């Protein structure tokens, strides 16, 4: 009964994750990062308290002896739950940032730099990005991404804040083209990616010159290799 109850809490957390994906794709904006993390905190904390016998539900009787195994599992659940709290105020959560909604602008004291590394990204403004590149004699970093793309979120939260990557990205005009939404912009972005690069995989990165010609592309998606991604970002026209 204890296992079923704990798995019930875990299942509810998983359902919240799927609901978050739907919310992001439809761009409803209801299940924000703060609300999502609050939900996860409550579910995992309740599971931990239940195993400790502090929450009286089916499977735990008064006077039950607390075994070492149950204590360890409860401790892990509670530690995980409380580790989520800083993220509710915009603080980075490391690897976990790939699975939770992105912090919105002004959502907390730690927000700036937590998920966007302080970089100025244009959203679905491909033509505007090329125009800015022409005006400033710069190259464009085009990121084909997705609202519910875990690997895309990981890259933005964990790769772009790295000092050398951040510095290289600041020399480029940055634009994100979302392809998994239900709007016409997503449809157009996906069509552009398929026609120009013969793929719809995300994340997909490409550096273009101001005329839209491809200077370099990075089709591996997510990478943890800083130097490999840095070599791509610093590519120059032949």
């Amino acid at each position: 009964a204890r296992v079923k109850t704990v798995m019930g809490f875990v299942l509810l957390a998983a359902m919240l994750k799927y609901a978050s994906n739907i919310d992001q794709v439809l761009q409803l904006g209801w299940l924000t990062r703060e609300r999502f993390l609050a939900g996860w905190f409550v579910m995992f904390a309740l599971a931990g308290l239940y195993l400790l016998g502090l929450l009286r539900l089916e499977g735990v009787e008064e006077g039950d002896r607390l075994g070492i195994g149950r204590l360890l599992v409860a401790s892990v659940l509670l530690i995980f739950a409380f580790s989520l709290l800083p993220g509710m105020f915009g603080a980075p959560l490391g690897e976990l940032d790939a699975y939770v909604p992105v912090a919105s602008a002004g959502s907390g004291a730690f927000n700036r730099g937590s998920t966007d590394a302080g970089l100025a990204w244009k959203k679905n403004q491909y033509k505007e990005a090329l125009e800015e590149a022409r005006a400033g004699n710069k190259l464009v970093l085009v990121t084909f991404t997705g609202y519910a793309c875990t690997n895309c979120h990981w890259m933005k939260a964990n790769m772009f804040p790295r000092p050398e990557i951040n510095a290289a990205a600041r020399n480029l005009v940055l634009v994100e083209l979302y392809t998994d939404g239900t709007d016409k912009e997503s449809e157009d972005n996906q069509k552009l990616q398929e026609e120009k690069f013969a793929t719809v995989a995300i994340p997909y990165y490409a550096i273009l010159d101001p005329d839209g010609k491809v200077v370099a592309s990075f089709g591996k998606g997510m990478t943890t290799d800083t130097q490999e991604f840095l070599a791509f970002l610093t590519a120059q026209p032949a």
Side-chain angles (χ1 to χ4, degrees):
R2 289 190 187 124
V3 173
K4 289 182 179 179
T5 301
V6 172
M7 289 305 297
F9 283 116
V10 173
L11 182 60
L12 287 173
M15 289 174 61
L16 189 63
K17 167 59 180 168
Y18 286 116
S20 172
N21 287 346
I22 295 173
D23 181 84
Q24 291 177 78
V25 169
L26 296 179
Q27 301 179 62
L28 300 177
W30 184 85
L31 197 52
T32 62
R33 179 184 177 92
E34 295 78 14
R35 291 171 179 168
F36 177 86
L37 290 175
W40 265 22
F41 170 78
V42 170
M43 291 172 194
F44 286 105
L46 288 178
L49 293 175
Y50 163 74
L51 288 177
L52 291 176
L54 299 177
L55 178 65
R56 307 310 297 264
L57 294 174
E58 182 183 358
V60 177
E61 300 294 335
E62 189 173 355
D64 271 2
R65 187 176 179 182
L66 182 62
I68 186 68
R70 187 150 56 98
L71 176 61
L72 288 175
V73 174
S75 299
V76 169
L77 290 171
L78 287 172
I79 289 171
F80 178 74
F82 279 94
S83 72
L84 300 175
L85 290 179
M88 293 174 61
F89 301 96
L93 295 175
E95 298 290 327
L96 194 61
D97 272 321
Y99 302 93
V100 303
V102 179
S104 58
S107 63
F110 299 99
N111 180 59
R112 186 163 180 80
S114 63
T115 55
D116 63 2
L119 298 173
W121 293 90
K122 294 182 180 298
K123 179 182 177 182
N124 296 332
Q125 294 177 296
Y126 177 66
K127 292 181 180 178
E128 291 84 349
L130 292 177
E131 290 173 2
E132 183 178 329
R134 280 192 287 271
N137 193 27
K138 290 184 174 183
L139 298 177
V140 180
L141 171 62
V142 177
T143 300
F144 291 96
T145 185
Y147 297 106
C149 171
T150 298
N151 288 343
C152 305
H153 292 174
W154 188 95
M155 288 291 288
K156 194 171 182 181
N158 295 286
M159 177 59 73
F160 282 95
R162 297 179 184 181
E164 54 269 66
I165 299 298
N166 189 277
R170 287 179 184 276
N171 296 322
L172 306 167
V173 176
L174 309 175
V175 59
E176 292 179 305
L177 302 181
Y178 287 83
T179 65
D180 65 346
T182 57
D183 52 5
K184 188 177 185 302
E185 287 180 328
S186 292
E187 183 180 340
D188 291 342
N189 292 338
Q190 189 176 91
K191 184 178 180 181
L192 171 66
Q193 183 186 7
E194 190 169 12
E195 290 178 350
K196 203 171 185 69
F197 301 100
T199 181
V200 293
I202 54 175
Y204 189 92
Y205 303 94
I207 294 177
L208 309 181
D209 68 14
D211 295 321
K213 295 179 181 178
V214 180
V215 174
S217 60
F218 191 87
K220 293 181 64 174
M222 192 188 93
T223 180
T224 59
D225 189 331
T226 302
Q227 294 307 313
E228 178 184 39
F229 199 63
L230 181 62
F232 157 72
L233 289 181
T234 54
Q236 295 295 317

